[in-house]
Amino acid sequence: MGFCSGDCLKGCFCNGKNLLTILTVVGILCGIALGITLRSIREDEWTPRECVYVKFLGEIFLRMLNALVIPLITSSLVSAIGSSDVLPYVVVLEAWKMSLENVEGTNIVGLVTFSTILGITLGKMGPKGKPLLDFFTSLSEAMIIITEAVVWLI
């Protein structure tokens, strides 16, 4: 009997909903195996140049994700806060909790404050603020698509 049979159409492994999770776990296991293999075939220390070759793809991936942080947070917060009729205190409080985490090189507190104020202002402007709010909503959706593309790319 195989890993996936015809009975599991409603199951969690065959329908593709968990494909990214499964591939992530497989990637981690492959990385562990590759690390053990590379360490065992080499008796002396790695040179800094060889370490750069191994770290290269990981560095590019992390830099791409870091480049997505600011537009993703800003557009999502402005869109969520501005498009609701009642001020979503839960969203604001969660954003503030998240902003207290220290992200190196990014002023998250300032970013969340600006996004919150802009979202509230656009929400209160009504029809006049609708075009800019629509822009942030579209930007938020675009940033989610770009983030998915970056995650699936590497």
Side-chain angles (χ1 to χ4, degrees), residues 77-88 114-134 136-137:
L77 280 175
V78 171
S79 175
I81 293 172
S83 63
S84 57
D85 296 332
V86 179
L87 181 62
F114 170 76
S115 300
T116 303
I117 292 170
L118 182 60
I120 292 169
T121 304
L122 290 175
K124 287 186 175 189
M125 287 177 67
K128 287 185 179 179
K130 183 94 169 99
L132 190 55
L133 188 58
D134 289 342
F136 278 104
T137 302

Side-chain angles (χ1 to χ4, degrees), residues 32-150:
I32 290 171
L34 180 65
I36 291 171
T37 303
L38 289 176
R39 180 174 254 186
S40 66
I41 62 172
R42 183 104 182 193
E43 293 179 13
D44 52 338
E45 289 291 318
W46 286 59
T47 65
R49 183 181 182 118
E50 292 169 332
C51 291
V52 168
Y53 292 140
V54 173
K55 291 181 1 180
F56 182 67
L57 286 177
E59 292 269 332
I60 289 175
F61 178 67
L62 290 177
R63 288 184 184 194
M64 287 191 305
L65 287 179
N66 283 335
L68 296 173
V69 168
I70 291 175
L72 185 63
I73 290 174
T74 303
S75 62
S76 298
L77 280 175
V78 171
S79 175
I81 293 172
S83 63
S84 57
D85 296 332
V86 179
L87 181 62
Y89 292 103
V90 175
V91 173
V92 175
L93 288 176
E94 287 302 316
W96 277 100
K97 286 179 189 176
M98 180 185 71
S99 69
L100 296 177
E101 297 175 9
N102 186 16
V103 177
E104 188 176 322
T106 305
N107 183 4
I108 296 294
V109 175
L111 188 68
V112 169
T113 302
F114 170 76
S115 300
T116 303
I117 292 170
L118 182 60
I120 292 169
T121 304
L122 290 175
K124 287 186 175 189
M125 287 177 67
K128 287 185 179 179
K130 183 94 169 99
L132 190 55
L133 188 58
D134 289 342
F135 166 76
F136 278 104
T137 302
S138 296
L139 180 62
S140 177
E141 292 171 7
M143 292 308 302
I144 290 172
I145 292 170
I146 292 170
T147 304
E148 286 177 358
V150 167

